[in-house]
Amino acid sequence: MLVLGVETSCDETAAAVVLDGVVLSSEVSSSVHLHADYGGVVPEIASRFHSEYILPVVKKAISDSGHGAEKIGLVAVTNAPGLMGSLLVGLAFAKAFSLAKGIPIIGVNHLRAHIYSCFIDKGGMKDKFPFIGMVASGGHTSIYLVKGLDDFTVIGRTKDDAVGEAFDKVAKVMGLGYPGGPVVERRAALYKGESPIDFPRAMLREDKGLDFSFSGIKTAVMYYWKGCSKTESEINRICFSFQEAIIDVIVEKLRRAIGVAGVGRLAVGGGVVNNSALRGRISAMCVRGSVELFMPAQEYCADNAAMVAVIGEELFRSGEVSDLSLNAVAVCS
Ligand code: KG4
Ligand code: ZN
């Protein structure tokens, strides 16, 4: 059975077609360039973009799959969490598609889909339980103990900013543009000195469990920025030091989570997992601890519909299904 995935929770309009866990096509149209001047996503602009692009993006995904729309037997759609106006565009489209084709619809949690993205092309998630899952994105930073397809327990979460949001805000302060993550990573890689700035590693120095806090480091960077020389090399040094502090915290929290839960598998997804330095440090920690690591291919780190289609397919096979009363939920874990 072919599954159509639809994703519109934030600023990416995405559709994908999947067959038996294999991604046949994955199409993403991003409105990120329209938000650049504002330093963050403007919800109304994102919603309007989804309205305009949802149909062409779905058509492209279907035609790239090499199959016709009549072969699709299930539509999986992100219905939570996300920007309400954005979620509703994808959800309304998916309902109309389900009704017109007479096929079932299944609602998918975006955060769980990010974790599922780690298992695309790796045989799916079903025989990997239990494991520690983490989402590190622009809107969320949470650690889960995952025991089943529908059994996710939050064991750590950010108390304030999401980690991607911290990258975005720090980049904005330094005038580096939006989104901040990729540019901060590029600038950090240019730092060749040996005296990084000692930015705070919040919730790490004391034993504060598995929660995160990123607002302190953001403020520390802002204060440092006010008094510094603002040369290109100083900007690179700030980016490097900020990124190192963030990575230290994430890696240590993951190491603790694995120890507390006593599991031997880790899956880390979300836009921030695009960061090569972070990927490298998580991999090294897993090698040291003999932990089996799953991370998404870089094309599946940011928002996409392939992750929605594959988890939707696996949920449907396990007996779950939604109906046309399915609604959007802006906030959930
Ligand atoms: O998962 P995602 O595409 O959207 C949400 O669901 O939020 O994540 C977007 C976030 C942005 O905050 C962006 O700055 C961050 O991921 N990001 C990165 C990198 N690439 C994207 N953060 C750090 N390093 C990167 N290379
Ligand atoms: Zn996301």
Side-chain angles (χ1 to χ4, degrees), residues 7 9-12 110-111 114 135-140 163-168 178-186 243 269-276 278 298 301-304 307:
E7 157 64 46
S9 66
C10 190
D11 57 345
E12 268 87 32
H110 179 79
L111 304 175
H114 267 306
V135 178
S137 73
H140 298 87
V163 60
E165 193 180 353
F167 272 93
D168 295 337
Y178 174 84
V183 61
V184 169
E185 177 175 9
R186 272 198 305 280
Q243 183 176 280
V272 180
V273 183
N274 258 311
N275 188 293
S276 299
L278 176 66
Q298 275 170 314
C301 287
D303 289 349
N304 66 87
M307 64 184 190

Side-chain angles (χ1 to χ4, degrees), residues 185-197 232-241 244:
E185 177 175 9
R186 272 198 305 280
R187 302 293 299 239
L190 296 174
Y191 177 67
K192 302 288 182 231
E194 283 175 1
S195 51
I197 306 149
E232 293 302 311
S233 64
E234 188 65 353
I235 294 174
N236 296 346
R237 180 169 173 244
I238 295 172
C239 289
F240 176 83
S241 310
E244 283 297 294

Side-chain angles (χ1 to χ4, degrees), residues 13-294:
T13 313
V17 176
V18 160
L19 176 64
D20 296 332
V22 176
V23 181
L24 302 181
S25 64
S26 177
E27 181 69 15
V28 181
S29 240
S30 178
S31 62
V32 69
H33 57 288
L34 301 176
H35 309 287
D37 287 347
Y38 304 92
V41 176
V42 181
E44 191 175 316
I45 294 177
S47 306
R48 287 170 188 272
F49 184 90
H50 290 313
S51 282
E52 197 177 333
Y53 282 87
I54 185 74
L55 195 54
V57 164
V58 168
K59 279 186 171 165
K60 178 87 168 47
I62 294 175
S63 84
D64 284 1
S65 76
H67 295 273
E70 70 289 347
K71 295 267 182 60
I72 293 170
L74 172 70
V75 56
V77 58
T78 300
N79 73 308
L83 300 171
M84 183 50 79
S86 288
L87 287 167
L88 286 172
V89 176
L91 186 57
F93 176 87
K95 285 186 181 185
F97 194 88
S98 153
L99 192 62
K101 302 280 177 203
I103 59 171
I105 182 170
I106 185 154
V108 166
N109 175 309
H110 179 79
L111 304 175
R112 296 180 183 191
H114 267 306
I115 290 177
Y116 200 100
S117 70
C118 302
F119 302 101
I120 294 176
D121 299 332
K122 288 166 198 145
M125 194 153 90
K126 57 188 175 305
D127 55 354
K128 311 293 193 307
F129 309 118
F131 64 86
I132 293 295
M134 178 178 187
V135 178
S137 73
H140 298 87
T141 304
S142 300
I143 302 180
Y144 302 83
L145 174 58
V146 187
K147 289 189 184 158
L149 253 189
D150 211 8
D151 187 350
F152 285 62
T153 306
V154 179
I155 56 172
R157 56 157 44 110
T158 181
K159 298 281 187 196
D160 38 60
D161 292 345
V163 60
E165 193 180 353
F167 272 93
D168 295 337
K169 287 179 175 170
V170 160
K172 188 177 177 184
V173 166
M174 293 189 282
L176 298 180
Y178 174 84
V183 61
V184 169
E185 177 175 9
R186 272 198 305 280
R187 302 293 299 239
L190 296 174
Y191 177 67
K192 302 288 182 231
E194 283 175 1
S195 51
I197 306 149
D198 186 22
F199 288 130
R201 271 83 170 149
M203 318 283 283
L204 201 57
R205 287 185 178 144
E206 319 85 50
D207 183 14
K208 287 268 175 61
L210 301 175
D211 288 335
F212 299 92
S213 168
F214 295 110
S215 67
I217 184 167
K218 178 191 69 187
T219 310
V221 172
M222 283 174 184
Y223 277 115
Y224 187 88
W225 177 250
K226 277 186 190 160
C228 81
S229 65
K230 301 183 180 53
T231 58
E232 293 302 311
S233 64
E234 188 65 353
I235 294 174
N236 296 346
R237 180 169 173 244
I238 295 172
C239 289
F240 176 83
S241 310
F242 165 80
Q243 183 176 280
E244 283 297 294
I246 296 277
I247 293 175
D248 282 352
V249 173
I250 292 178
V251 170
E252 176 58 15
K253 295 286 175 176
L254 288 175
R255 197 189 62 76
R256 284 185 197 171
I258 289 161
V260 168
V263 298
R265 288 195 179 110
L266 173 67
V268 191
V272 180
V273 183
N274 258 311
N275 188 293
S276 299
L278 176 66
R279 293 175 82 95
R281 290 274 304 279
I282 293 176
S283 301
M285 182 266 290
C286 286
V287 169
R288 272 197 309 278
S290 302
V291 172
E292 191 179 3
L293 174 63
F294 296 88

